[in-house]
Amino acid sequence: MKKAIVAVIDGGGRAHALIEKYLQSKHVARAIAIPGNDLMLLHKNVKIFPQYKTTDIKDIVTVCKKEKVDLVDV
């Protein structure tokens, strides 16, 4: 079974907790965060996009398509 790529749209502590839990799953390969925060970079398999805001919908969709995201958590 293919492991999922998860995107979390948020940059705060809640997003960090979600990323941490998603990465603990055997079903998740990696995670991205938009915009994310530097603390998330402590986890391997996490990519952040600090140049975007949570309201940059076009950019978020573009990133998710490029990264082949399977699940988006807003």
Side-chain angles (χ1 to χ4, degrees):
M1 178 164 68
K2 177 188 171 234
K3 289 188 175 187
I5 299 169
V6 178
V8 176
I9 314 301
D10 193 7
R14 175 187 163 277
H16 179 256
L18 285 169
I19 292 270
E20 191 170 300
K21 286 299 179 184
Y22 279 127
L23 291 175
Q24 289 175 6
S25 171
K26 65 181 179 181
H27 302 290
V28 175
R30 62 188 181 91
I32 67 169
I34 303 169
N37 61 52
D38 290 340
L39 186 59
M40 293 176 187
L41 293 176
L42 295 175
H43 301 284
K44 65 179 187 174
N45 299 328
V46 176
K47 190 173 185 180
I48 64 170
F49 292 85
Q51 67 271 31
Y52 301 123
K53 298 177 184 172
T54 57
T55 55
D56 293 339
I57 296 169
K58 277 184 163 180
D59 294 321
I60 290 170
V61 169
T62 300
V63 167
C64 288
K65 285 181 178 181
K66 181 180 176 190
E67 296 290 326
K68 298 181 180 177
V69 170
D70 299 297
L71 174 71
V72 178
D73 191 334
V74 181

